[in-house]
Amino acid sequence: MALSRFLFLGLLALRAYAQDSPEEDVQSTTQSPPNALAVKISTTFPASEFFGVKLINNHPTTAVLSITNSEPAPISVVFIGGSLWLPPSPAVQEPHIVRNLTTTKYDGVEIPAGEEESVKYAFKMELQPQELLLNLAVVVRDAEGGVHTLQAFNETVAVVEPDTSIFDPQILFLYLFLLALFAGTCLFIYNTWIATLFPPTSKHSKNTPGKDASRARTSTKGTRSVNPADQVGVVGADGPAVTTTSGAKAYDESWIPAGHLQRPEARRVKSKGGNKRREA
């Protein structure tokens, strides 16, 4: 199964190389044996955790490939690619590929003899959370022009969803939308069913005769009647303000015009019916 995955990656790399190379170069690359170079590759993931490598959906994952060239001649990196496979299980009898990763072309990355060079490879995908096998392969070219496919990584990784935060704009918009929807629903229920059970009352209906009588009794509480014989006249600048009830008037008439003091006499109106009766 591992050999089939490695051969599949090699074919993908060679096909990508064939699209950018002349026909004679393709013939020379297909005749060169793979893994015939003394090259060591170690792959690390800077963002990985202690419990293993995690591939976060819709987030770029960066792999750092440290390539050590033990050949007497320099080599150059041509392509780096990869794929995700289902891990072996009783239900999986044959190798099954899930997703091909991006194939990145590198120009001018040359590793001298006896030197080590680090190359970064980034990819991004979106899958259901699960455990898969990540297979990475590097296509290198030797000094004679031969192309070789080298395996860089072949281990189990976990595909996970990104961590959500309450300050995420999408989460905040979702919370606001749900809050507005809940408030609108509550307002509709109140206006449709609850408000009809409690009709509004006007201010005039609150002032009942019983309440008015009680307020009048409360306002006159603690007062006592005054004997008219005990009243004393108070004379000021405008004359007496209060007099006794012995017949004198309780106000000063000196400042009132005479026309207003005379009471109009009632006029007698003769009815027409009475005149007719007399004439008859």
Side-chain angles (χ1 to χ4, degrees):
M1 182 176 178
L3 181 60
S4 62
R5 291 197 302 270
F6 180 73
L7 293 177
F8 179 79
L9 289 175
L11 291 176
L12 288 178
L14 290 176
R15 185 179 62 180
Y17 180 75
Q19 293 177 357
D20 297 337
S21 302
E23 183 177 358
E24 56 272 16
D25 293 339
V26 175
Q27 294 178 358
S28 61
T29 55
T30 55
Q31 295 177 358
S32 58
N35 299 335
L37 297 179
V39 178
K40 181 180 179 181
I41 303 175
S42 61
T43 304
T44 58
F45 294 86
S48 63
E49 299 179 357
F50 176 77
F51 297 100
V53 180
K54 292 184 178 181
L55 308 182
I56 303 176
N57 281 330
N58 294 325
H59 282 68
T61 302
T62 302
V64 179
L65 284 70
S66 298
I67 304 174
T68 303
N69 182 18
S70 300
E71 290 287 324
I75 61 174
S76 58
V77 179
V78 182
F79 292 100
I80 296 179
S83 60
L84 292 170
W85 298 70
L86 285 175
S89 64
V92 180
Q93 301 296 334
E94 297 181 358
H96 179 67
I97 186 171
V98 177
R99 179 67 57 84
N100 287 325
L101 302 179
T102 304
T103 302
T104 305
K105 181 180 179 181
Y106 296 85
D107 295 329
V109 180
E110 185 176 346
I111 304 175
E115 298 292 334
E116 180 180 353
E117 188 73 23
S118 296
V119 181
K120 293 183 178 181
Y121 172 69
F123 59 93
K124 184 172 65 173
M125 80 296 165
E126 183 179 2
L127 296 171
Q128 294 293 334
Q130 57 185 320
E131 290 188 353
L132 299 174
L133 286 175
L134 175 60
N135 198 323
L136 300 180
V138 182
V139 178
V140 298
R141 180 187 297 166
D142 56 15
E144 298 178 357
V147 176
H148 307 267
T149 303
L150 307 177
Q151 189 173 18
F153 187 82
N154 186 27
E155 294 183 10
T156 304
V157 297
V159 180
V160 297
E161 294 290 343
D163 296 334
T164 58
S165 175
I166 59 174
F167 299 103
D168 189 3
Q170 296 181 354
I171 299 299
L172 291 177
F173 178 77
L174 179 61
Y175 288 160
L176 292 177
F177 176 76
L178 293 178
L179 181 61
L181 182 62
F182 177 75
T185 304
C186 293
L187 182 61
F188 175 77
I189 294 174
Y190 176 80
N191 293 332
T192 306
W193 289 286
I194 300 178
T196 56
L197 300 177
F198 303 97
T201 57
S202 61
K203 296 182 179 179
H204 300 285
S205 62
K206 295 181 180 179
N207 299 328
T208 58
K211 293 184 179 180
D212 294 339
S214 62
R215 291 177 182 176
R217 288 194 298 269
T218 305
S219 61
T220 57
K221 187 178 181 181
T223 61
R224 62 185 180 89
S225 60
V226 180
N227 189 3
D230 297 336
Q231 294 181 355
V232 180
V234 179
V235 180
D238 296 333
V242 179
T243 60
T244 61
T245 59
S246 59
K249 296 181 179 180
Y251 54 88
D252 185 9
E253 296 181 354
S254 61
W255 59 275
I256 301 176
H260 293 280
L261 294 176
Q262 297 179 358
R263 296 182 178 180
E265 296 181 358
R267 297 180 181 179
R268 295 181 180 179
V269 180
K270 297 181 180 181
S271 61
K272 297 180 179 180
N275 297 332
K276 290 181 179 180
R277 290 176 183 177
R278 292 178 184 179
E279 291 177 358

